[in-house]
Amino acid sequence: MEEKSPPPTRPDNSPQPAKPHSSILRRAIVWLLVLIAFAGLFLLVLTQKNTPAAPRTGRGAAAMAGLNITVVPATAQKGNIGVYQEAIGTVTPVYTASVTSQVTGLVEAVHYTEGQLVQKGDPLIDIDPRPFEAQLKQAEGALQKDQQVLEQAKMDVQRYRDAWARQAIAKQILDDQEKLVLQDQGTVKTDEGVVQYDTVQLSYCHITAPFTGRAGLRLIDPGNVVQADSATPLVVITQEQPITVIFTVPEDALGQIQPQLRHGHTLTVDAYDRAALTKIASGKLLTIDNQIDTATGTVKMRAIFDNKNGALFPNQFVNTRLLVTTENNMTLIPTSAIQHNGQASFVYLIQKNVAVVRNITPGAVDGPNTAVAGIQPGDVVANSSFEKLQPNSKVVLAKGGAPPANSNGSTAP
């Protein structure tokens, strides 16, 4: 029999490498353990989420414990409320004049002071009139000369007419003389025009206020030479009494405003400061622009104010409130008593010391008050402690709380 040879060994007597299937098995076991760990963590989180929460403390604890919540009451009142259009406006003078020189000359005197309220016709600036007076005299001299030439030509034409009646001259001589009279008349008219022009130029040397208004900062001094039709003004005059405010309203509001103006109603406009807290002045709507701005969907309006106290200043930014109409016999409550839950508005109606949720429909807003539908005049609503109130919470009315709304839409004194 032939002997079998032993299996070959590696020269270094090292063990043979492990088979590939054992490595794959270990990797699968590791991934299985990881998945089991994630599944256990998920079950733990889910169990804690479904565990009932502990009783609340702090806000809302009083309602859950059945304790009474102290609230400030407000009583709904029946009254009138205004419907307003609010907008940002710019104070704009009725007249603004940048006075410039119409002639070239030397400034002799400046009669106004900075910030002075000048009346129409008051002197402002004098320009040296002597060159223009000399031109006017020359024009008047030429006019006087040509007037005498015209008179002489008229005398001559009368003599030629008499001679022609006696057949002493030819008809051509008379015709020529009559045409000379017409030429002299044209020359006189030209001279009269030159005199009028020089008179106007001379009047430009004495600059007066074109209307009653306030002068700005002094821009010219005596001794300066000014140029005719220069772009640099000599003084800026703005009219402050009366004064206007230009503001914009949405085009959708025209349907409420235009019928009022067509029927001759005067619409009141109030101007407030930048913070919309302090009323500066009251005026009336003067006019509406003749077109809508298609870029913004708004239309410009101008309101006029007498501005006797000078509270409105040109180019000042103000908040305007245009009273469009007045709604009568509405149910009024403080705006602060209205709560919102998504798209719905509601109040906490107090009935037998219990807060009941009552849905309402808010309407016009005038200052601290809002017209609402859904409750009746005389109903008492909560005006505080909203963070504690829940449906059917027991409440206690605070003493000396906020006063209810008056029938005219304002708070009681």
Side-chain angles (χ1 to χ4, degrees), residues 122-133:
D122 285 352
L124 298 177
I125 297 172
D126 285 336
I127 299 174
D128 186 5
R130 291 174 296 179
F132 304 96
E133 291 174 346

Side-chain angles (χ1 to χ4, degrees), residues 51-174:
T51 302
R56 292 184 299 174
T57 59
R59 294 184 176 181
M64 296 184 63
L67 299 178
N68 294 336
I69 302 173
T70 302
V71 298
V72 175
T75 303
Q77 298 287 332
K78 185 177 182 180
N80 305 331
I81 191 170
V83 178
Y84 291 89
Q85 283 290 334
E86 299 183 354
I88 297 177
T90 303
V91 179
T92 307
V94 178
Y95 298 116
T96 300
S98 297
V99 181
T100 58
S101 177
Q102 301 298 309
V103 295
T104 299
L106 181 69
V107 176
E108 283 191 335
V110 177
H111 299 288
Y112 71 92
T113 58
E114 295 178 325
Q116 176 186 352
L117 181 64
V118 296
Q119 302 296 322
K120 181 178 180 180
D122 285 352
L124 298 177
I125 297 172
D126 285 336
I127 299 174
D128 186 5
R130 291 174 296 179
F132 304 96
E133 291 174 346
Q135 292 180 2
L136 178 59
K137 286 184 179 180
Q138 291 176 357
E140 290 175 344
L143 173 61
Q144 185 177 2
K145 174 185 175 182
D146 292 335
Q147 285 175 340
Q148 299 304 318
V149 172
L150 175 61
E151 293 298 326
Q152 182 180 359
K154 289 180 178 180
M155 292 171 54
D156 291 340
V157 76
Q158 185 59 42
R159 296 192 185 97
Y160 290 152
R161 285 172 181 168
D162 294 341
W164 165 251
R166 298 192 303 270
Q167 300 295 320
I169 60 174
K171 182 68 168 57
Q172 181 181 358
I173 298 176
L174 175 61

Side-chain angles (χ1 to χ4, degrees), residues 112-116 214-220 233-237:
Y112 71 92
T113 58
E114 295 178 325
Q116 176 186 352
R214 190 171 300 279
L217 300 179
R218 189 174 71 249
L219 304 176
I220 201 73
L234 305 181
V235 61
V236 178
I237 306 294

Side-chain angles (χ1 to χ4, degrees), residues 136-385:
L136 178 59
K137 286 184 179 180
Q138 291 176 357
E140 290 175 344
L143 173 61
Q144 185 177 2
K145 174 185 175 182
D146 292 335
Q147 285 175 340
Q148 299 304 318
V149 172
L150 175 61
E151 293 298 326
Q152 182 180 359
K154 289 180 178 180
M155 292 171 54
D156 291 340
V157 76
Q158 185 59 42
R159 296 192 185 97
Y160 290 152
R161 285 172 181 168
D162 294 341
W164 165 251
R166 298 192 303 270
Q167 300 295 320
I169 60 174
K171 182 68 168 57
Q172 181 181 358
I173 298 176
L174 175 61
D175 293 341
D176 291 343
Q177 187 62 35
E178 289 178 346
K179 297 305 180 183
L180 287 176
V181 171
L182 296 178
Q183 293 176 16
D184 293 339
Q185 288 177 345
T187 303
V188 169
K189 285 186 178 181
T190 301
D191 294 340
E192 290 175 347
V194 173
V195 170
Q196 292 178 359
Y197 177 79
D198 290 339
T199 302
V200 173
Q201 293 295 102
L202 180 61
S203 68
Y204 287 151
C205 295
H206 181 64
I207 302 175
T208 60
F211 51 80
T212 300
R214 190 171 300 279
L217 300 179
R218 189 174 71 249
L219 304 176
I220 201 73
D221 297 314
N224 295 144
V225 176
V226 294
Q227 302 293 326
D229 299 326
S230 173
T232 303
L234 305 181
V235 61
V236 178
I237 306 294
T238 57
Q239 187 186 64
E240 295 183 354
Q241 298 176 357
I243 203 167
T244 66
V245 173
I246 296 179
F247 59 97
T248 58
V249 300
E251 59 179 310
D252 296 339
L254 288 177
Q256 295 177 309
I257 299 174
Q258 283 188 312
Q260 303 284 343
L261 297 179
R262 291 194 189 102
H263 290 86
H265 298 164
T266 300
L267 300 185
T268 303
V269 179
D270 295 329
Y272 286 78
D273 61 358
R274 185 180 293 269
L277 298 177
T278 303
K279 184 168 72 171
I280 302 176
S282 292
K284 63 180 181 180
L285 183 63
L286 184 63
T287 186
I288 303 176
D289 199 2
N290 60 354
Q291 58 184 349
I292 294 174
D293 187 348
T294 57
T296 61
T298 59
V299 60
K300 291 182 179 180
M301 298 189 178
R302 185 189 293 269
I304 189 167
F305 300 79
D306 56 24
N307 201 32
K308 294 297 184 181
N309 58 356
L312 296 176
F313 201 79
N315 294 337
Q316 176 185 1
F317 286 98
V318 295
N319 288 281
T320 61
R321 299 185 73 213
L322 169 63
L323 178 59
V324 179
T325 185
T326 301
E327 297 179 351
N328 300 320
N329 300 323
M330 303 298 293
T331 301
L332 308 180
I333 63 173
T335 305
S336 57
I338 301 175
Q339 302 299 301
H340 303 278
N341 183 11
Q343 300 297 327
S345 300
F346 65 93
V347 295
Y348 286 104
L349 185 65
I350 308 302
Q351 294 180 339
K352 298 180 180 180
N353 293 330
V354 175
V356 180
V357 175
R358 179 66 59 84
N359 290 334
I360 61 170
T361 303
V365 179
D366 184 7
N369 299 315
T370 300
V372 297
I375 61 175
Q376 300 298 322
D379 289 344
V380 179
V381 297
N383 198 20
S384 69
S385 305

